[in-house]
Amino acid sequence: MTAATVPGAAQPREYPVRIAPSILSADFADLGQEVAEVAPAVTTIHVDVMDGHYVPNITLGQPVVASLRAATDRELDCHLMITDPRTYAPQFLELGAESVTFHPEVEDDPLSLVHELHERGGQVGVAIKPAHPLAMVEELLPHVDLLLVMTVEPGFGGQAFLPEAVPKVAEAVVWRHRHGAHLRIQVDGGISRETIAQTVEAGADTFVAGSAIFGREDRAAAARELAEIAEQVRRGVLAR
Ligand code: DX5
Ligand code: ZN
């Protein structure tokens, strides 16, 4: 069963299309300007935090998130590719991020961390890598606000989209419908004008895009184009 065959499972009104530009592909020496350029087209900025342990790359941490918070009123969606979210996730909320997403396999008791982050007033997401089945996070899904389905191996921007991850999006839509749960489904990695449609068809509602936005001269136009494609595909899915 795909998302399109689940009645009411991917209601645009309940889960509006969100394009979340990943600043990983932005010019870090000019981050304020980069965010200001894309902000008119989006509600959310995706912030990839990497610690060099969970993934073989180091990106940014608390000082950058603090500066971003001062520079924009857009939601900051922190994707924590780190081995110690219990220590650091609360700090990103404290700095003003609206949501934090972590990879739960690094925690002995990820559910208690979800609860702790909710108590601190944040939205909470859990992420699955391409090799991880949905079953790995199923027990957490009733408790989180967002499921992040990685469509590349976490660690770097600009990688090729992995279509084999997409069926998990449809599976999550079916799970959500069956459990009457409320959960946004985000895809992250290799999302572009060429690849976004298949993730919309599967039922994703939140689309992280780094190089497809910051690799273009007009960042806002790039984000709007992705949103327009997603809306068009949705209209087609619903009309079936
Ligand atoms: C990868 C990150 C992504 C990345 C996406 O580990 O989680 O958010 O920035 O970049 P693109 O869209 O270029 O694949
Ligand atoms: Zn990310």
Side-chain angles (χ1 to χ4, degrees), residues 22 24 46-50 77-81 103 148 150 154-155 186-189 208:
S22 164
L24 189 55
H46 184 84
V47 182
D48 287 305
V49 178
M50 304 186 192
D77 168 37
C78 291
H79 175 193
L80 306 182
M81 286 159 277
H103 289 255
L148 194 180
M150 295 289 311
Q186 182 181 72
V187 283
D188 181 7
V208 176

Side-chain angles (χ1 to χ4, degrees), residues 47-136:
V47 182
D48 287 305
V49 178
M50 304 186 192
D51 66 353
H53 293 283
Y54 184 75
V55 288
N57 197 8
I58 300 174
T59 54
L60 56 89
Q62 300 92 326
V64 176
V65 171
S67 296
L68 283 169
R69 181 66 298 156
T72 183
D73 61 1
R74 294 301 185 256
E75 285 189 15
L76 298 177
D77 168 37
C78 291
H79 175 193
L80 306 182
M81 286 159 277
I82 65 177
T83 54
D84 189 3
R86 188 166 301 268
T87 298
Y88 296 106
Q91 297 184 22
F92 289 104
L93 292 179
E94 193 66 31
L95 289 167
E98 274 75 10
S99 68
V100 284
T101 294
F102 66 99
H103 289 255
E105 75 274 19
V106 301
E107 283 293 328
D108 292 336
D109 184 4
L111 183 57
S112 72
L113 180 56
V114 170
H115 290 322
E116 183 192 334
L117 296 170
H118 275 148
E119 277 160 23
R120 290 172 181 266
Q123 301 261 304
V124 185
V126 287
I128 44 174
K129 295 192 210 186
H132 292 164
L134 186 70
M136 224 171 119

Side-chain angles (χ1 to χ4, degrees), residues 119-182:
E119 277 160 23
R120 290 172 181 266
Q123 301 261 304
V124 185
V126 287
I128 44 174
K129 295 192 210 186
H132 292 164
L134 186 70
M136 224 171 119
V137 291
E138 229 174 273
E139 285 187 2
L140 296 170
L141 293 185
H143 307 281
V144 297
D145 309 289
L146 179 145
L147 167 69
L148 194 180
V149 176
M150 295 289 311
T151 42
V152 297
E153 284 303 329
F156 300 90
Q159 301 182 77
F161 180 76
L162 297 174
E164 56 269 33
V166 176
K168 284 187 286 184
V169 172
E171 221 184 303
V173 172
V174 172
W175 180 94
R176 182 174 67 188
H177 185 64
R178 202 169 278 151
H179 292 79
H182 189 91

